[in-house]
Amino acid sequence: MIHRPRILRQTAALRHLVAETRLAPTDLIAPLFVVEGEGLAEGIPSLPGYYRRSLDRTVAEVEALLALGVYAVLLFVKCPDERKDNVGTEALNPEGLMQRSVRALKRAFGERLCVMTDVALDPYSSYGHDGLVENGQIVNDPTVAVLAQMAVSHAQAGADLVAPSDMMDGRVGGIRQALEAAGHFQTGILSYSAKYASCFYGPFRDALDSAPGFGDKKTYQMDPANRLEALREVALDVAEGADLVMVKPALAYLDIIREVRNAVRLPVAAYHVSGEYAMIKAAAQRGWLDETQAILETTTAIKRAGADLIATYFVKQLAQRLA
Ligand code: PBG
């Protein structure tokens, strides 16, 4: 018997016909950075081509994303220094930028848009950590109590999904209970279940001015060396009531994405993070990589590994290309 696998690669039409993985704009989640002010779109040097926008400009950007078929946004806000403290006061402010952003987006787009909110204290923390700090330690249970209140506050504003990105133990359960107690039966939880202590978050921390003021995040985010631990974390989040689980970063963790996809029946998201974006941009700027091809190959690989949803800063470029 003669086998000629190249037959199915002969023409673009054939290749398209047998492609096993297809990206669509509906697979994508747009991370958005919101800042106070009006008419602002501030460049971020380590994220070339990506912006922090004031709320009015954010609404306009979401309109453009919806027109491209992207229906989900993941919101992060930049908190001014003078409002940062160690207890997340601004994170709970019903008139805070996050709460106002959620309300404005839901008012503008209603059910056409899925609004997801970041639930973690680092942008609000005077220490730049995801939790409360006591005696130089990031304390778990007091942090979970604040995160649960924060999630309720986002739900109150109209968030469809709250997305805890802090990696405290028990926070999904704490958030679920708090949402139930407050009557928010329809707010979902997208849990950053397997989030690694990664150097690839650098540009994001520049964007939000949220780098840790002391130490690192290794006592709560996971060791890149570990695989089974990711499965334990995911199992806990599923048991605690997560509606979707996420792996982060994406490209250096494709094996983890695949394992998680095989292990759970929930939708799996992957976060193609800021440093992963910056790597491609930097190489493309020097003419060392074809940017469009690098974006397509990378995101297709993330989907092939098992991600149903991909959060990526290339969202607009990619959606334009896929349209
Ligand atoms: C913080 C948070 C981080 C990211 C999302 N939420 C940074 C961190 O953990 O320090 C990173 C996203 C990115 O790099 O694109 N809770």
Side-chain angles (χ1 to χ4, degrees), residues 41-93:
E42 304 171 348
I44 304 154
S46 52
L47 279 178
Y50 215 76
Y51 300 89
R52 276 184 305 247
R53 296 184 178 84
S54 51
L55 186 45
D56 56 331
R57 296 288 289 266
T58 300
V59 172
E61 179 68 7
V62 172
E63 181 88 66
L65 288 165
L66 282 168
L68 290 166
V70 176
Y71 301 124
V73 296
L74 176 55
L75 302 181
F76 299 92
V77 302
K78 185 164 187 292
C79 178
D81 271 348
E82 63 275 13
R83 281 187 232 151
K84 295 185 183 187
D85 62 23
N86 187 34
V87 290
T89 306
E90 184 59 15
L92 304 180
N93 178 359

Side-chain angles (χ1 to χ4, degrees), residues 135-170:
N135 304 320
Q137 307 281 324
I138 299 18
V139 290
N140 196 88
D141 298 8
T143 299
V144 170
V146 177
L147 295 173
Q149 286 178 270
M150 192 175 172
V152 168
S153 158
H154 295 178
Q156 193 77 50
D160 296 284
L161 301 177
V162 292
S165 67
D166 55 288
M167 290 300 280
M168 297 300 129
D169 296 336

Side-chain angles (χ1 to χ4, degrees), residues 9-322:
R9 302 179 204 134
Q10 289 316 295
T11 65
L14 267 169
R15 291 192 293 272
H16 192 63
L17 197 68
V18 300
E20 297 175 35
T21 306
R22 287 177 215 279
L23 283 171
T26 46
D27 300 332
L28 305 176
I29 300 170
L32 296 175
F33 301 128
V34 189
V35 287
E36 296 283 4
E38 242 178 273
L40 298 177
E42 304 171 348
I44 304 154
S46 52
L47 279 178
Y50 215 76
Y51 300 89
R52 276 184 305 247
R53 296 184 178 84
S54 51
L55 186 45
D56 56 331
R57 296 288 289 266
T58 300
V59 172
E61 179 68 7
V62 172
E63 181 88 66
L65 288 165
L66 282 168
L68 290 166
V70 176
Y71 301 124
V73 296
L74 176 55
L75 302 181
F76 299 92
V77 302
K78 185 164 187 292
C79 178
D81 271 348
E82 63 275 13
R83 281 187 232 151
K84 295 185 183 187
D85 62 23
N86 187 34
V87 290
T89 306
E90 184 59 15
L92 304 180
N93 178 359
E95 292 307 317
L97 185 54
M98 178 63 91
Q99 290 79 355
R100 276 181 282 133
S101 299
V102 173
R103 286 197 294 268
L105 289 172
K106 288 314 270 186
R107 202 180 311 122
F109 306 110
E111 293 190 1
R112 291 169 64 206
L113 181 70
C114 174
V115 175
M116 312 176 180
T117 57
D118 186 62
V119 175
L121 290 176
D122 50 325
Y124 305 96
S125 160
S126 38
Y127 293 107
H129 275 289
D130 292 42
L132 309 189
V133 177
E134 285 171 21
N135 304 320
Q137 307 281 324
I138 299 18
V139 290
N140 196 88
D141 298 8
T143 299
V144 170
V146 177
L147 295 173
Q149 286 178 270
M150 192 175 172
V152 168
S153 158
H154 295 178
Q156 193 77 50
D160 296 284
L161 301 177
V162 292
S165 67
D166 55 288
M167 290 300 280
M168 297 300 129
D169 296 336
R171 91 277 209 216
V172 171
I175 288 172
R176 177 60 80 198
Q177 275 179 7
L179 289 172
E180 288 284 319
H184 294 294
F185 308 120
Q186 293 183 341
T187 310
I189 303 174
L190 162 59
S191 179
Y192 289 66
S193 301
K195 176 171 176 178
Y196 287 86
S198 171
C199 73
F200 294 110
Y201 308 148
F204 171 97
R205 295 176 187 170
D206 295 342
L208 293 188
D209 182 27
S210 62
F214 69 88
D216 53 40
K217 299 193 175 186
K218 290 180 185 170
T219 68
Y220 44 108
Q221 299 179 349
M222 286 177 46
D223 183 343
N226 295 350
R227 179 176 64 85
L228 296 174
E229 188 185 357
L231 294 173
R232 292 200 296 274
E233 284 284 2
V234 167
L236 287 172
D237 286 0
V238 173
E240 289 175 30
D243 297 285
L244 308 91
V245 293
M246 182 143 76
V247 175
K248 174 185 180 184
L251 198 53
Y253 300 86
L254 294 179
D255 57 330
I256 308 298
I257 295 172
R258 169 48 57 194
E259 293 255 18
V260 171
R261 178 60 291 168
N262 290 348
V264 302
R265 295 292 172 269
L266 298 177
V268 174
Y271 201 142
H272 184 228
V273 301
S274 58
E276 302 181 87
Y277 172 94
M279 285 197 294
I280 291 179
K281 279 286 180 186
Q285 280 175 350
R286 284 161 181 74
W288 293 348
L289 280 180
D290 177 320
E291 181 169 333
T292 304
Q293 294 310 318
I295 297 169
L296 282 170
E297 187 173 329
T298 301
T299 47
T300 300
I302 294 168
K303 187 165 182 193
R304 189 199 64 228
D308 305 293
L309 299 169
I310 305 172
T312 176
Y313 301 94
F314 287 119
V315 57
K316 207 170 174 189
Q317 258 170 289
L318 198 49
Q320 275 160 346
R321 169 70 199 218
L322 298 171

